[in-house]
Amino acid sequence: GGETAIRLAAAEGPRTLALFEHLVGEPPQELVDIQATGRGLARLHRLAEDYRGPASLYRLDLRHLLRRPLAWLLESPNVDAAMASEFGAIADRLEARIDGFSKLSGVHCHGDCHGGNNFVVTDAQGQRVAWFFDFDDAGPGFVAYDLAVFLWSQHLGKSELDAPAREKYARYLGAYVRERELPQADLAAIAAFVPVRHLWFMGEHATRRHEWGSQSLPPAWLRKQLDVLRGWESLVTPEPAP
């Protein structure tokens, strides 16, 4: 017989109840687990190369990652004309920088691999292995973007990486490139996607203002993000650890 979907009343309307298996493990904190995450993402990308399932809801191109989030952000009542002009100019420069790289590689992206959407467990051979979940933002897109999300997470609250954060990302990226080849253009482009990721993140928050209220993006915080984004425009991708 068929299965009956259970519908729940949510703030945004009816939602279908989803039940998942319990996943043991913990988010990556130690360097060995961060390396396992980079290695795991590389394996995920490699295994997805011959994916022939249903098409994704998203294509993680610059329209999805940059232009639509910018439009949502500019609809916020707390973004005045001066801020709108500055956000638009930053987006233009970011797009020009990314377009300036030689052809960037595509891949089936996880889309939100910031370190909190995977657990690391010990397998039967005693190796630390990453298990990924939360594929809500997955879709075909830039491999450089998927690798930039973890770098973005290390940069939050920092204009420059401190030594521990730099070591974490170097280990993460080093584990990835040992598992899956990464062309030099993609490697160089990773840092350029960090501010793109941040604009995407801000745009996602902007779409929630009808639930969270306009003060979820207060004017002082928005002005600070302009400084953050400008500072991140000149980022250079850290070298992967050998």
Side-chain angles (χ1 to χ4, degrees), residues 6 11-12 16 28 30 32 36 41 52 60 98 104 123 130-131 145 155 158 188 195 198 205 220:
I6 299 175
E12 65 273 21
T16 302
E30 302 300 325
V32 65
L41 184 63
R52 299 293 183 270
L60 278 61
I98 289 167
L104 297 178
D123 67 10
W131 291 83
Y145 173 76
H155 262 290
K158 310 182 185 81
H198 200 57
H205 268 67

Side-chain angles (χ1 to χ4, degrees), residues 15-24 132-136:
R15 297 291 297 270
T16 302
L17 174 67
L19 183 65
F20 300 91
E21 294 182 16
H22 172 69
L23 179 64
V24 298
F132 295 89
F133 50 88
D134 195 351
F135 288 85
D136 289 4

Side-chain angles (χ1 to χ4, degrees), residues 27-88:
Q29 296 293 331
E30 302 300 325
L31 290 176
V32 65
D33 290 349
I34 288 167
Q35 289 175 298
T37 300
R39 183 168 59 249
L41 184 63
R43 291 175 177 173
L44 189 66
H45 287 168
R46 191 176 66 245
L47 290 170
E49 288 173 359
D50 59 357
Y51 173 75
R52 299 293 183 270
S56 172
L57 293 176
Y58 307 122
R59 178 167 292 278
L60 278 61
D61 53 17
L62 288 180
R63 177 177 176 272
H64 177 81
L65 297 172
L66 184 62
R67 291 302 172 182
R68 287 201 305 178
L70 175 66
W72 293 332
L73 179 63
L74 299 188
E75 291 174 359
S76 170
N78 291 334
V79 175
D80 59 27
M83 280 194 282
S85 177
E86 291 193 64
F87 279 124

Side-chain angles (χ1 to χ4, degrees), residues 76 78 202 204-219 221-222:
S76 170
N78 291 334
M202 294 175 70
E204 286 288 301
H205 268 67
T207 65
R208 305 295 201 276
R209 66 184 175 90
H210 297 296
E211 302 168 49
W212 299 345
S214 61
Q215 289 308 303
S216 63
L217 293 174
W221 184 83
L222 287 165

Side-chain angles (χ1 to χ4, degrees), residues 45-187:
H45 287 168
R46 191 176 66 245
L47 290 170
E49 288 173 359
D50 59 357
Y51 173 75
R52 299 293 183 270
S56 172
L57 293 176
Y58 307 122
R59 178 167 292 278
L60 278 61
D61 53 17
L62 288 180
R63 177 177 176 272
H64 177 81
L65 297 172
L66 184 62
R67 291 302 172 182
R68 287 201 305 178
L70 175 66
W72 293 332
L73 179 63
L74 299 188
E75 291 174 359
S76 170
N78 291 334
V79 175
D80 59 27
M83 280 194 282
S85 177
E86 291 193 64
F87 279 124
I90 289 170
D92 289 345
R93 292 195 298 269
L94 291 174
E95 185 166 8
R97 183 182 178 190
I98 289 167
D99 286 345
F101 288 102
S102 58
K103 185 174 175 58
L104 297 178
S105 304
V107 74
H108 284 281
C109 297
H110 177 279
D112 204 20
C113 189
H114 50 65
N117 285 331
N118 69 277
F119 284 172
V120 182
V121 302
T122 302
D123 67 10
Q125 288 73 44
Q127 299 295 313
R128 298 293 279 172
V129 178
W131 291 83
F132 295 89
F133 50 88
D134 195 351
F135 288 85
D136 289 4
D137 297 308
F142 300 100
V143 65
Y145 173 76
D146 224 18
L147 288 166
V149 175
F150 189 72
L151 182 56
W152 166 80
S153 74
Q154 298 304 301
H155 262 290
L156 287 175
K158 310 182 185 81
S159 58
E160 296 184 7
L161 292 182
D162 56 24
R166 180 170 289 277
E167 176 73 2
K168 285 180 181 180
Y169 193 74
R171 296 288 191 96
Y172 173 87
L173 190 55
Y176 183 97
V177 299
R178 284 193 298 276
E179 187 72 27
R180 183 176 185 271
E181 184 179 358
L182 189 67
Q184 185 59 39
D186 297 310
L187 182 69

